[in-house]
Amino acid sequence: MQKRSFFDDVDPAETREWLEALESVVEREGPERAAWLLDAITNEAQEQGVYRTHLNTPYLNTIPPKDEAAIPGDMFMERRIRSLVRWNALATVMRANMDNDDELGGHIASFASSATLYDVGFNHFFRAPSDENEGDLVFFQGHSAPGVYARAYLEGRISEEQLDNFRREVDGKGLSSYPHPWLMPDFWQFPTVSMGLGPIQAIYQAHIMKYLQNRELIQQDNRKVWAFLGDGEMDEPESLGALALAGREKLDNLVFVVNCNLQRLDGPVRGNGKIIQELEGVFRGAGWNVIKVVWGRLWDPLLEKDSEGLLRRRMEECVDGEYQAYKKNGGAYTREHFFGENPELKKLVEHMSDEDVYRLNRGGHDPFKVYAAYHAAVNHTGRPTVILAKTVKGYATGAGEAVNKTHQMKKLDLESLKDFRDRFDMPFTDEQLEEVPYYRPAEDSAELRYMKEQRDKLGGYMPVRRQKASQQLTIPGLDVFANFLEGSGDREISTTMAFVRMMSTLIKDKQIGERVVPIVPDEARTFGMEGLFRQLGIYSSGGQKYEPEDAGQVMYYREDKKGRILEEGINEAGAMSGWLAAATSYSVHDFTLIPFYIYYSMFGFQRVGDLCWAAGDSQARGFLLGATAGRTTLNGEGLQHQDGHSHLLASTVPNCVSYDPTYSYELAVILQDGLRRMYEDNEKVFYYLTLMNENYMHGAMPEGAEEGIRKGMYLLREGKPKTKKTLRVQLLGSGTILREVEAAADLLREDFGVAADVWSVTSFNELRREGLQLDRDDMLNPEKQRGPNWVEKCLDGRAGPVIASTDYMRAFADQIRPWVKAPYSVLGTDGFGRSDSRQKLRHFFEVDRYFVVLAALNALRKEGKVEAAVVKQAIEKYGIDTDKPYPVMH
């Protein structure tokens, strides 16, 4: 150990004694013993009233030079390849924006800062799927996509034509702006550019990987989940919200690489502080292994000479805003303002030119430092690892380097382009630069051979995505739910209860049972699922180290390393991320899971809508169950718990198939059909079903109703006229309000002699989709006569006006208005929810049986079929207050 003295040390001799003692322990008894003693000293100090509360280490590299793993391979060749990738990434973005009338955007600066971070991974660490290993999972930072395309171009996986169509996808030849599995299904694994989703998805992918391994459903191997993130991105709640899970579950298969270029979109991330130090404290506190890569190897000689700690003190006291200024303003400025603060410090660099000072590199641009960090990360066990790598945004882009507006940069000026060319040895003349050409060496060149050799060692090229699992599942027929098709008899049950029983039936199925994954966010008892605790066990990587207080009960809280249920706590974003990881397991692990995530519907799409969109992009397959659904079904809970809009939000995700079933036989048909579509036919869809907690009797399925249930609408019962002249109306309902519609039909017949046909609408969303598609076909094929869509097939030729009532906003049922030929009235629960009984809430929102009757009679009045007095009679008969406030804003 070099015997250092410190600029602020009041007793250097005592300090040396302590340091020598520590050195002796490390040499003779090892670092583990030294760490134990330090912990003991810290604990004793706290008992003596001496507190150390921060979680930071010095602003230096975590791995000292003497402990760095040596990087293998040809460093000169790797620098050449990195230069080629940098150039082609730059050219891709610039060429997309050369037409001033049609600039398509793109990002140069993010990949410029992270090229080395990716290059070292591609050359030495990222394993592709192979016979020996399913491969690593890599979450690429969205803004760095051009760099990944540039490497794939050199590898021959992407053509020059495709690069020229970067961000031009409509004609089917282009490359997506960011990682999008939906648009490039054999290339990108995960959507990441909605910042914050990459981190939480990566954590839960690692979590589900361990879950599968502990359940012995996939092999135990050393696969890693890599997530490349930006330091600005870490301000998103989703970026940091699940760190404790990763630490608690000891996800040592997870590696975060945070590109700390110190800048976000508009300016510094922490201009007045240090983002690396801040993140170190957060991650270390959450139980992560933290590796800082702050300084490149050109700083090592200076740090070695820093006998009094002046350089380290200066590194500590400078804030990120100053570091950006040093990089932006050059070597002379850095000499004066960084080293010039102290004469002794300035002497450290007196032998160096201004250019040498400027070239003092940050750790994230040094392949030797990056390799050492990656090597340490993949060999670390017991904890997840985060690598905090300091870089320069817009690295090597000349005028765009380290400036606040660099994120928006899509072009380089000619002088900067020349400098970029010269720095990375591109063989272009000044005249050729005007076209910003791509460059790919000959197929037998040393560069391309080296790239292929390195990737062959790692199993093949990356990124790559599996579109379907190798094993085809056999889905049971509808008869697996035979007892649900017959109704509940005299027993009242909820659709939530019916679903839990159906899921239990699937779990027992010999073909797919082991693949069923129940997921709950701390609401299993609310949904009547506690019976599964003992049967399936709650997954815990550490098993159960305690005896639960309810151990003597049948349905006790049982945790198990091989447990089936994912109980994610009060954490909808985490549970949704866990579902997403399970729902993409067919692609990621070549092992198909069938996940059922059940949650309070109100806390579904509105809270995690971005993750629902990512699920669509990822081609996730599984079931989302919005339980306690509707605005009036949840007795007493009030505004923040009542859902009147989740189906409308679900309709915004193009491949989300959504249903609002009322009866258990409807649910059975929908579940079985969803299983078939997703797991036998491999359709790129996922399902959202709403479930109610209200108990009532369920009848048997009407004969021939299956097709209508699947399509979204079927005739539940036909109104019986009293005479041939009896007036008729068509009543539509869904979910729990369908029963109010049925009751309204009875009132109409008994009190007013009006026959009402009752239609159960299982999915207004699916009816709308079909209607829009057929309308489009009709517009594009005017010479052909369009056949009726399902709404028209059901209602055309039916007598009377149409009235719809649901537990959702009016816009929900209003979606099918274009295809309803008769006058159409819609009732819904617009406005905020509130606490009260179901009966009072339905009357307050004007969706109950009495308002359905009133709406039907009023529609007949408008047609001239009944007098206004009849409507008035209904108002008086049912005690409807005509002065009651409009519920939308009340």
Side-chain angles (χ1 to χ4, degrees), residues 783-827:
E783 74 286 355
K784 296 181 181 179
Q785 185 173 358
R786 174 177 75 81
N789 60 44
W790 191 253
V791 173
E792 293 167 334
K793 282 183 180 179
C794 291
L795 295 179
D796 284 5
R798 290 275 172 175
V802 181
I803 291 86
S805 185
T806 75
D807 220 9
Y808 297 87
M809 298 169 64
R810 283 179 172 86
F812 178 49
D814 206 55
Q815 293 179 105
I816 67 170
R817 182 178 295 277
W819 308 288
V820 179
K821 306 299 191 302
Y824 186 41
S825 302
V826 173
L827 305 180

Side-chain angles (χ1 to χ4, degrees), residues 740-873:
E740 290 295 314
V741 171
E742 292 181 78
D746 295 336
L747 292 177
L748 281 166
R749 186 176 187 277
E750 295 165 6
D751 295 346
F752 298 97
V754 175
D757 299 333
V758 177
W759 299 84
S760 175
V761 182
T762 52
S763 181
F764 283 102
N765 286 349
E766 294 307 300
L767 292 174
R768 174 180 179 270
R769 282 178 175 164
E770 188 217 31
L772 291 175
Q773 180 177 340
L774 291 182
D775 281 358
R776 174 186 178 273
D777 293 344
D778 182 51
M779 179 179 68
L780 297 177
N781 300 279
E783 74 286 355
K784 296 181 181 179
Q785 185 173 358
R786 174 177 75 81
N789 60 44
W790 191 253
V791 173
E792 293 167 334
K793 282 183 180 179
C794 291
L795 295 179
D796 284 5
R798 290 275 172 175
V802 181
I803 291 86
S805 185
T806 75
D807 220 9
Y808 297 87
M809 298 169 64
R810 283 179 172 86
F812 178 49
D814 206 55
Q815 293 179 105
I816 67 170
R817 182 178 295 277
W819 308 288
V820 179
K821 306 299 191 302
Y824 186 41
S825 302
V826 173
L827 305 180
T829 57
D830 295 66
F832 289 114
R834 57 191 58 221
S835 301
D836 217 308
S837 67
R838 296 184 180 111
Q839 181 181 358
K840 285 193 173 183
L841 287 172
R842 287 163 188 168
H843 195 74
F844 171 80
F845 282 110
E846 303 172 3
V847 296
D848 66 0
R849 62 193 69 183
Y850 305 113
F851 277 95
V852 173
V853 171
L854 186 60
L857 294 175
N858 193 52
L860 290 170
R861 177 190 66 81
K862 289 181 178 180
E863 289 188 325
K865 301 288 181 63
V866 301
E867 299 294 329
V870 176
V871 181
K872 183 69 173 176
Q873 178 189 349

Side-chain angles (χ1 to χ4, degrees), residues 146 197 202 218 348 375 520 621 767 839 867:
L197 297 195
I218 63 174
L348 275 179
H375 183 272
V520 288
R621 295 168 190 169
L767 292 174
Q839 181 181 358
E867 299 294 329

